[in-house]
Amino acid sequence: MKVLVLTLGVFLMPFVAAAAEADAGRFQLEKSGDHFVRLDRQTGAMSICQDKDGALVCRMAADERAAYEDELDRLAKRVTALEQGNVAQRALPSDAEVDRSISIMERMMKSFMGMVKEFQAEENTNPLPQKT
C-alpha cells in the first residue's frame, strides 16, 4: 500500500509543481511611489497594496470598489425581490384545491385497494402448491 502511495505521489509531483507555477505567475506587482499596484492576470482586477509592518496589505482600486458596491446593491435588491416573491408562494391552498387533492387521493386509494382485493381473491381461488 505504501509503495502505491509513493508511486502515485512521484507521478503527480510534476502536475502539482506546474499548478503552483501557474498561480505564481497570476499576479504582477508594479511599484508606484510608496505603494504597489497588483494586477491579476486572470481577471484583470487591480488592487493597491502597501507595506505595513512587513506585510503587504492590498485593497481594491477606487473604480473597482464602485463596481463592487454596485454589484452588492444589485444583489441585495434581487434577494429582497426573491424573498418577497416567496411569501406569496407560501400561501396556503384554497379549500377547493384541498378538496380536489383529497378526492384524487381517495380515488387512487380505492383503485389500489380494489387491486389488492383482486389479488387476494385470485390467491384464494388458485392456492399455491405445497412444496414441503
Side-chain angles (χ1 to χ4, degrees), residues 58 75 81 83 91 121 127:
C58 299
L75 290 173
E83 286 174 346

Side-chain angles (χ1 to χ4, degrees), residues 3-4 8 11 18 26 31 36-37 40 42 51-52 54 62 69 76 84 96 101 103 117 119 123 126:
V3 173
L4 177 66
L8 186 61
F11 284 115
R26 178 177 175 176
K31 184 147 178 82
F36 295 91
V37 176
D40 184 345
Q42 278 186 341
D51 185 15
K52 291 188 178 180
E69 295 290 335
Q84 290 173 351
S101 298
S103 69
K117 287 180 183 177
F119 285 128
E123 187 177 284
N126 298 328

Side-chain angles (χ1 to χ4, degrees), residues 20-121:
E21 287 176 14
D23 268 352
R26 178 177 175 176
F27 296 100
Q28 177 181 350
L29 284 175
E30 293 291 326
K31 184 147 178 82
S32 175
D34 63 341
H35 61 273
F36 295 91
V37 176
R38 180 180 71 173
L39 170 67
D40 184 345
R41 292 183 181 182
Q42 278 186 341
T43 63
M46 294 180 68
S47 303
I48 298 171
C49 303
Q50 291 181 331
D51 185 15
K52 291 188 178 180
D53 300 326
L56 196 60
V57 179
C58 299
R59 59 180 173 78
M60 284 184 242
D63 58 338
E64 288 183 14
R65 184 69 183 180
Y68 178 73
E69 295 290 335
D70 289 343
E71 182 69 7
L72 282 178
D73 290 341
R74 185 187 69 78
L75 290 173
K77 288 176 186 174
R78 184 174 176 197
V79 167
T80 303
L82 288 172
E83 286 174 346
Q84 290 173 351
N86 285 342
V87 171
Q89 291 175 356
R90 290 186 204 143
L92 295 175
S94 67
D95 289 342
E97 290 173 328
V98 171
D99 291 340
R100 183 174 179 269
S101 298
I102 289 175
S103 69
I104 290 171
M105 290 179 0
E106 284 177 351
R107 282 184 286 162
M108 183 187 73
M109 288 302 293
K110 285 179 182 178
S111 175
F112 176 74
M113 293 308 287
M115 287 191 293
V116 169
K117 287 180 183 177
E118 286 178 23
F119 285 128
Q120 285 176 343

